[in-house]
Amino acid sequence: MSNDAARHELAEVLALAQEQMADLAAVQKKRAALTASATVADGTVEVTVNAQGIVTRTVIDETYLDEFEFADLGDYITTAAQAAARDVGKRSAELLVPMTERRKKFPALSDIVEGAPDFREWMPDLTPLRPESAAAAGPGDDDGDDDTSYTPTVRR
C-alpha cells in the first residue's frame, strides 16, 4: 500500500472515530432519558421503568379490586414491570444500531500500518444493559448503593 493510500485510509478511520465519539454522547443522553410503561389487569395496574429497567413508578387504580383479587396484584405488577423493561431495552438497543453498524466498518489498523493494534478494540462495546437482568434481580437483590425508593400510587 502506498503512503498516499495509507494516509487516505487512516484519515477515513479517524473520521469514523470522530463521528462515533460525537454520536456516543448524544446516544447516551437519549438513552438516559428513556422510560417505558406497561399496563395490565385491564389498565388498572401501570408500571414505569427507566433505561436500566428499574421500576420508577407504580400506579394501581382504585377500581382494581372491583374486578381482580388482591392476591394477584404482585403478579400483575411483576408482569407489567417485565413488559416495560423489555420495551425500554428494545428501544435502547435501537438507539445503538447506527453506532454498532459504524463500528463494524472500522478496519484493523494493522491493515494500514504494520504492527498497529486493531482500532475497533479502542471503541467502547455498545451492548446495552439488558433490562431483563435488572428486573429479574428483584427487590432486595441490589448492592445497597442506590438509596432511592418509591411508593406505589393509588389512583382515585
Side-chain angles (χ1 to χ4, degrees):
M1 178 180 293
S2 74
N3 281 344
D4 286 338
R7 196 174 2 250
H8 176 70
E9 195 164 336
L10 185 56
E12 285 183 22
V13 168
L14 291 176
L16 281 173
Q18 285 178 324
E19 277 183 62
Q20 192 79 341
M21 293 314 210
D23 287 352
L24 181 58
V27 167
Q28 285 176 330
K29 188 174 182 178
K30 286 179 186 177
R31 185 180 177 279
L34 284 179
T35 62
S37 296
T39 59
V40 292
D42 296 332
T44 60
V45 176
E46 178 183 23
V47 177
T48 302
V49 300
N50 63 16
Q52 290 77 37
I54 297 171
V55 174
T56 59
R57 185 167 185 248
T58 304
V59 178
I60 302 159
D61 193 290
E62 65 182 22
T63 63
Y64 170 84
L65 291 175
D66 293 346
E67 296 182 38
F68 301 95
E69 296 296 319
F70 181 77
D72 297 328
L73 182 57
D75 289 336
Y76 282 125
I77 292 171
T78 300
T79 299
Q82 289 171 343
R86 281 190 302 274
D87 182 39
V88 81
K90 179 183 172 192
R91 291 176 27 220
S92 180
E94 289 169 355
L95 285 174
L96 296 172
V97 168
M99 294 185 67
T100 301
E101 291 302 314
R102 184 183 304 126
R103 186 175 192 259
K104 291 176 186 177
K105 293 179 184 179
F106 280 93
L109 277 185
S110 60
D111 294 344
I112 303 168
V113 178
E114 191 174 325
D118 186 350
F119 202 94
R120 292 170 289 202
E121 293 175 10
W122 298 351
M123 303 309 294
D125 181 13
L126 300 175
T127 306
L129 170 69
R130 304 250 318 135
E132 311 77 82
S133 63
D141 290 348
D142 68 319
D143 58 12
D145 291 342
D146 186 6
D147 194 22
T148 60
S149 62
Y150 72 96
T151 305
T153 304
V154 177
R155 276 186 256 159
R156 297 174 195 243

